[in-house]
Amino acid sequence: VIRSKQDRRPLRIAYGRIFHEANSYSPLKTERSNFEDFHFYRGEDVASLVTPSVYELGKVLRKAELTGFHSAAKAAGNIECVPLMSALAVPSGPLSQECFAWMRDELRGALERVGEVDAVYMALHGSMRVSGLDQAPEAVILADLRDALGSVPIAASFDLHANLTPAIVDHLDLLEAYRTNPHRDLYRTGRRAGRQLIAMARGEVQPTRAWRKLPMLLGGGTTIDFLHPMRGIFMHIKRLLMRRDVLSAHVCMVHPFTDAPDLGWAVHVCTDDNQALADSLADELADRVWKVRKVDLPDMKTPAEAIEEVRRSRVSRALGQVSVVDTCDIVGAGSTGGSTHLLDALVREAGDLTVYVPMHDPRLVDELWERSPGDRVESTVRGTPGLPDQPEVPVAGRIGVRTMTDFGRTVVLEHENLRIAVTEKPPGTLHPRFWADLGLSPWHADAIVQKFFFHYRLFYAPTSRRSIPVMSKGPSSLDNVRKRHFDEPMWPQSPISEWRSFDHKRRVATP
Ligand SMILES: [Zn+2]
């Protein structure tokens, strides 16, 4: 007897988020307070994040995965959404063991509180790390869920930069991930995961999956989804999704700046009850991805070359300022914002240019905080404590504005025409408002140093049409990745020509 939807009791589906992207080359640890100060909610407070009028993520994003999941549930009808927890901290070093133990306790506590459920959805990142833990923390989280819930369907969504491992994939029934870079589909990803999970819990589909793990760390050029060569791959995925029997298809291209032992790009395909099709589509997608491994990033400048280019960019400077992107110190990729290489070059060679530079140096903040604006100082910028291989940069000038910002105590140091904003916490400065609040108009700068790959462009579009990527030395330096040793052959370390003979072994979970 088939009962109508209304006759059935509502499906209880629990949902939550544990989200962090780690950079293993950062000397900073991510602690409980980094979550609590940024984004941490329990139970009903999570439910309040998914209402349309509320910003789900900080001041930045109104609708992300959990709002997407919630809207899928609402559209499906007869679903009771049961909030667990939501935790997110800005990318930084690995979690401390204490922090991760606390996070697991929180999740287990939340599962106990909600009692029996019919399914679970979790929004995860996939490039989390915990110091001293070889395994993917997400695999541990999913194992905790399995322990608590038995065989109920579990869906998780991931960042496009996730590192899929056997333990992650095997604990799941459904796997979703972003398909845009820069990421613009958080909401859609949560909604897709929600729709599929509901269909599975109702017995309407039978997710049947295949994945492949490639011995590949870098490739895909800029890896931007709408530019060559990744555009072709995402177009191919779009075509696959037009088939009724294909539920999802993804490429996960890892955050390369972690020490995960089993790092590597992966593809994942899910069909409706057709294993052979899932396998053949996964092979085909993997072949396409493997082909773009040799497409490298565009050339980057040395600090000296970049300074010369700023000097020559008269039109860009007249209309606003040049953005100088310190690609080795990207706070958005978990770096600290306290690499001193670029600053060293600016102090020595660019005194004639008005350049705004954010700089993480908590020791210098301590030293300068008691001084008054206008005081003359001679001091040394040393950047993030514990960051290896950084020059000490002597500076002499005046104290400018001293104030609290989103990045803790902040002091402006004026050295010739340079304006150095010395911050207590990593300066994730995306918005020109940061400088305006320090009394520094972005219009007056010849150049502003950016510590994001891309997102700053949204906010600087009116003043900056020119970006110069610079190579220095820091936690988001690709040199770290290229020099890393692996026991197994790995692209680009080894000139491997095919992926198949490495794939199978890497998909088998070690007990
Ligand atoms: Zn990402």
Side-chain angles (χ1 to χ4, degrees), residues 298-336:
D299 269 347
M300 295 185 215
K301 307 284 177 197
T302 65
E305 288 165 349
I307 290 166
E308 202 38 57
E309 213 166 307
V310 171
R311 214 171 259 134
R312 282 200 307 264
S313 303
R314 291 206 175 75
V315 177
S316 298
R317 279 158 47 200
L319 296 173
Q321 78 288 129
V322 179
S323 299
V324 176
V325 181
D326 192 350
T327 62
C328 298
D329 193 21
I330 299 292
V331 175
S335 189
T336 63

Side-chain angles (χ1 to χ4, degrees), residues 199-278:
M200 182 185 178
R202 285 180 173 165
E204 295 162 0
V205 291
Q206 197 167 336
T208 306
R209 304 176 303 140
W211 71 296
R212 300 291 181 262
K213 181 93 177 165
L214 305 173
M216 165 179 173
L217 293 181
L218 298 174
T222 60
T223 66
I224 288 176
D225 63 290
F226 48 84
L227 298 181
H228 173 81
M230 292 312 290
R231 182 165 186 271
I233 288 171
F234 287 104
M235 294 287 283
H236 172 72
I237 287 176
K238 246 182 208 158
R239 283 194 297 273
L240 291 182
L241 295 173
M242 276 151 54
R243 300 178 57 143
R244 287 183 68 95
D245 48 0
V246 176
L247 299 179
S248 77
H250 292 289
V251 48
C252 288
M253 50 200 198
V254 309
H255 176 64
F257 309 109
T258 81
D259 61 356
D262 42 13
L263 210 54
W265 289 39
V267 302
H268 184 278
V269 176
C270 182
T271 63
D272 187 4
D273 198 18
N274 190 339
Q275 187 65 54
L277 179 67

